[in-house]
Amino acid sequence: MAEAKDKDKKEAEIDTIWSRRDFFSLAGWGSFMAALGLSSLYFARLLFPRVLFEPSPIFKAGYPSDYTVGAVSTKYIKDQRVWIVRDEEGIYVIFGLCTHLGCTPRWLNTERKYKCPCHGSGFTQDGINFEGPAPRPLERLKISLAPDGQIIVDKSKKFLYEKGQWGQPGSKLLV
Ligand code: FES
């Protein structure tokens, strides 16, 4: 009888030991799988770096012969936010950003002026502010000719009237 009790006790101890082993084995696998999942996520994240793809500030704007003397071209205002103007001397590019608070003015051909819809600033055809709250003229952008004869506009280089930059090389294409 005592022998049978000892045997039962030993079997119970063995069961306890195995159930503990099962638990630690499961916990180990769980941790391993979690670590594997996290490292896979991290690896996948490396494949898609957080890079901001901005459009190039440089674009081609056709040939000088596409522009008429005395006219303001609105062809690129929607896509590039610029007007291209040709006068008797050459061609220049005006950035369509109001110098008050940054709205996009509209070219009013009959009134020969850019008019800002936000607070009413007005600018002459060459970009000088003459009415409304805008504190300074519109900015001009760099213009040059590509080897193929097309106009290149570089929106990363600006020319400011108030700093005397409108006469600098690159502010106007003499054609
Ligand atoms: S943003 Fe153009 S007048 Fe205010």
Side-chain angles (χ1 to χ4, degrees):
M1 189 72 178
E3 229 173 72
K5 270 189 180 175
D6 278 352
K7 195 179 170 191
D8 285 349
K9 200 175 170 187
K10 273 187 184 171
E11 277 175 3
E13 275 174 14
I14 287 169
D15 281 351
T16 309
I17 288 168
W18 273 111
S19 65
R20 266 192 218 141
R21 277 186 189 161
D22 286 350
F23 172 76
F24 285 118
S25 170
L26 274 177
W29 273 107
S31 304
F32 175 72
M33 293 309 284
L36 189 69
L38 280 177
S39 57
S40 302
L41 277 177
Y42 180 72
F43 182 70
R45 178 74 190 76
L46 288 180
L47 293 177
F48 302 98
R50 210 174 281 171
V51 176
L52 191 61
F53 293 102
E54 286 194 8
S56 169
I58 298 171
F59 69 96
K60 283 189 173 179
Y63 296 91
S65 56
D66 297 340
Y67 298 93
T68 311
V69 174
V72 173
S73 171
T74 57
K75 186 176 177 186
Y76 295 98
I77 192 67
K78 192 164 173 272
D79 291 343
Q80 300 289 346
R81 208 178 186 182
V82 302
W83 294 284
I84 299 182
V85 185
R86 183 164 191 171
D87 63 15
E88 294 76 18
E89 290 176 348
I91 300 173
Y92 54 92
V93 182
I94 297 183
F95 189 28
L97 180 96
C98 180
T99 52
H100 179 222
L101 292 175
C103 292
T104 304
R106 295 190 194 111
W107 169 245
L108 306 179
N109 200 39
T110 49
E111 296 174 47
R112 309 300 299 168
K113 69 178 181 183
Y114 310 93
K115 184 76 175 170
C116 183
C118 292
H119 313 98
S121 288
F123 304 85
T124 59
Q125 177 170 323
D126 55 357
I128 302 291
N129 53 314
F130 70 94
E131 64 182 354
R136 59 192 182 85
L138 296 170
E139 295 168 349
R140 293 192 183 177
L141 303 173
K142 187 177 178 192
I143 184 169
S144 58
L145 265 192
D148 65 359
Q150 286 202 65
I151 291 170
I152 294 181
V153 176
D154 181 354
K155 297 199 293 182
S156 66
K157 173 71 181 142
K158 293 173 182 170
F159 297 90
L160 308 186
Y161 174 83
E162 62 274 22
K163 290 190 177 174
Q165 296 172 339
W166 279 9
Q168 288 183 356
S171 63
K172 194 169 196 175
L173 189 64
L174 303 177
V175 286

